Amino acid sequence: MSANEQVLRYPIPNDKALEPPAEWAELRGTCPVAHVELPSGDRATLLTRYADVRQVLADPRFTRQLTAPDAARLSAEGGGVFSSELAQIIPDGGEEHQHWRRLVGKWFTAKRMAALRPSMARIAEELIDDMVKRGAPGDLRADLGFPLPVYVICDMLGVPAADRDRFSYWSDTLLNLTRYTKAETETAQAEFFQYMSEHVAAKRVEPGEDLLSELIAAGGPEDGGLSDIQILVTGMGLLVAGHETTANMIGKMVSMLLADRDRWERLLADPTLVRTAVEETLRLDANSGFGLPRYLPEETEVSGTTLPRGTTVVCSMAAANRDESVFEAAAEMDLSRSPNPHLAFGAGAHSCLGQSLARTELQVVLEVLLRRLPSLELAVPVEELERVEGLAVGGLRTVPVRW
């Protein structure tokens, strides 16, 4: 397939919940810089090779400024979280962005994650207890995958976990590229903004031991801290990213490991493989969502192809993570694969700030499940698992399990 022969629809249609579309391998082999048509009808450039995706994600010239006049619209109703004006409030590059990452990143250190593990395990135990009491079959996504990351991120932000259903709706609206109208998205964003405004104001009056209180205590920009609007948008961004992506990944991870019973049995026999198994499910996730869009403010060359200024590029990390030139037997799940330099969390200055939190949550969930429910299995054939369509992050509608 050459770039001139066909313009693919993107996201590429795929009925299989856990398997990649066949086009990924074909594109990597013959058309790594491909023209695609987005749900909006606008054209973009899709990258599927590891080296190309890493190059663009790590290059500070390629920005998140999808509000540029010549940037492609990701959907007919806008671009949700990607092209929201609020998303542009966090500095996009340079020292300002690094300063923001340093301030917020203090909450995602290895030391903090280690301190969080016992409370995460306790939450997982309680959620599994409740699921078992209700009886099999259960829905692992609804019973464990969704609530655990919500409890954790709400605790970090000092936000009431009792409001989790509201967060779920707001997150779904801001992360969905096709399901909601522009008016619905704008309304949800306004409600979310108002909620977080009131929450930040309350934290100023009564600070707690949470991330937002610490950012407030650091003072404003004149003191080396963040502005009020930056603190507010940071809270919104962490709440959306901190629960939606991990909630979906928990369901996908467990489904991938149960899809072949030998994988689950190997982990039961050797729980020390949990860390590398988590990394391998992240690498092999074929349902990770839209990928990361980038706007090119200047002409550049990728994989021997010149991309003009104003090009919108979609980096498919999931496709890149199956690149045979980087990963031996890339299509196969190797629970002990090491090293595993996958791009599930991006690369460069904009790599996922909360990746240590996501990794810790995934490891803890897997450890507790293996200990508590060793007989866990999917309650439906893998072929009956259904993707959630339209989300910027991929997920499964339900994960029916029994034990």
Side-chain angles (χ1 to χ4, degrees):
M1 182 190 301
S2 74
N4 297 322
E5 285 176 355
Q6 183 180 359
V7 176
L8 284 171
R9 276 176 35 199
Y10 190 84
I12 299 170
N14 184 17
D15 293 331
K16 295 181 178 179
L18 303 180
E19 297 297 324
E23 289 88 345
W24 282 1
E26 187 179 353
L27 289 169
R28 281 195 307 269
T30 62
C31 186
V33 183
H35 298 306
V36 294
E37 182 177 301
L38 303 177
S40 64
D42 290 354
R43 298 285 179 89
T45 297
L46 175 66
L47 304 181
T48 50
R49 282 182 183 168
Y50 185 95
D52 301 337
V53 168
R54 187 173 184 84
Q55 173 194 335
V56 170
L57 291 180
D59 193 323
R61 295 174 301 166
F62 306 148
T63 74
R64 296 181 289 117
Q65 301 296 330
L66 298 179
T67 52
D70 53 350
R73 296 168 304 138
L74 303 190
S75 76
E77 300 294 343
V81 71
F82 289 125
S83 49
S84 155
E85 289 183 8
L86 289 179
Q88 314 308 318
I89 289 170
I90 302 301
D92 190 47
E95 176 53 34
E96 284 188 335
H97 179 75
Q98 289 304 314
H99 177 62
W100 174 83
R101 284 185 72 98
R102 283 194 295 271
L103 285 173
V104 180
K106 294 175 184 177
W107 277 77
F108 297 96
T109 62
K111 186 177 180 181
R112 279 194 186 266
M113 293 306 105
L116 279 176
R117 288 184 82 96
S119 62
M120 286 183 192
R122 185 177 64 254
I123 293 169
E125 294 269 7
E126 291 170 356
L127 291 169
I128 290 170
D129 283 342
D130 292 341
M131 182 173 74
V132 170
K133 285 177 186 174
R134 285 189 290 270
D139 178 4
L140 191 94
R141 184 191 187 280
D143 295 339
L144 177 63
F146 174 72
L148 183 138
V150 175
Y151 288 137
V152 172
I153 199 66
C154 284
D155 189 51
M156 291 181 73
L157 296 174
V159 175
D163 290 335
R164 62 185 179 274
D165 289 341
R166 299 168 74 185
F167 303 146
S168 177
Y169 173 72
W170 291 331
S171 297
D172 186 61
T173 307
L174 295 178
L175 286 169
N176 207 292
L177 301 177
T178 57
R179 185 184 305 168
Y180 300 97
T181 65
K182 187 174 184 181
E184 287 173 323
T185 301
E186 290 176 348
T187 298
Q189 184 169 278
E191 290 174 352
F192 195 7
F193 185 87
Q194 180 63 30
Y195 178 96
M196 289 303 295
S197 296
E198 294 172 1
H199 181 65
V200 171
K203 286 294 175 186
R204 286 194 177 281
V205 177
E206 282 191 56
E209 296 182 3
D210 56 84
L211 187 155
L212 294 179
S213 294
E214 190 169 291
L215 291 178
I216 291 168
E222 66 281 359
D223 303 310
L226 302 178
S227 67
D228 283 0
I229 187 68
Q230 286 177 333
I231 293 173
L232 191 157
V233 171
T234 296
M236 291 176 68
L238 291 175
L239 197 52
V240 171
H243 91 263
E244 192 75 39
T245 51
T246 309
N248 282 301
M249 189 61 213
I250 287 172
K252 290 182 292 183
M253 172 185 72
V254 175
S255 297
M256 293 162 70
L257 293 171
L258 293 177
D260 182 339
R261 191 69 201 174
D262 289 344
R263 298 168 183 167
W264 192 255
E265 295 294 339
R266 188 176 177 201
L267 287 170
L268 287 171
D270 186 1
T272 64
L273 291 173
V274 163
R275 288 177 183 270
T276 51
V278 165
E279 296 305 311
E280 185 69 340
T281 58
L282 287 163
R283 182 190 73 83
L284 215 57
D285 179 13
N287 180 11
S288 62
F290 191 86
L292 287 180
R294 289 290 183 263
Y295 173 75
L296 309 188
E298 58 185 81
E299 180 183 292
T300 189
E301 183 176 299
V302 176
S303 208
T305 300
T306 299
L307 300 178
R309 177 193 178 281
T311 297
T312 297
V313 170
V314 177
C315 296
S316 177
M317 294 96 75
N321 283 338
R322 290 171 178 256
D323 192 328
E324 293 278 359
S325 69
V326 178
F327 301 98
E328 185 178 351
E332 298 176 15
M333 180 176 283
D334 178 356
L335 298 180
S336 59
R337 188 184 296 274
S338 183
N340 192 344
H342 63 75
L343 299 174
F345 294 113
H350 291 287
S351 61
C352 176
L353 185 67
Q355 58 185 282
S356 59
L357 175 63
R359 284 184 160 107
T360 305
E361 289 175 323
L362 292 167
Q363 291 167 13
V364 167
V365 164
L366 188 50
E367 288 166 355
V368 175
L369 280 173
L370 287 164
R371 184 176 72 250
R372 290 291 310 281
L373 299 176
S375 60
L376 191 69
E377 62 181 7
L378 290 174
V380 298
V382 175
E383 296 75 25
E384 292 184 18
L385 294 175
E386 296 181 24
R387 290 173 176 250
V388 175
E389 298 299 340
L391 272 183
V393 297
L396 301 171
R397 289 190 183 279
T398 60
V399 182
V401 292
R402 58 187 171 223
W403 48 90

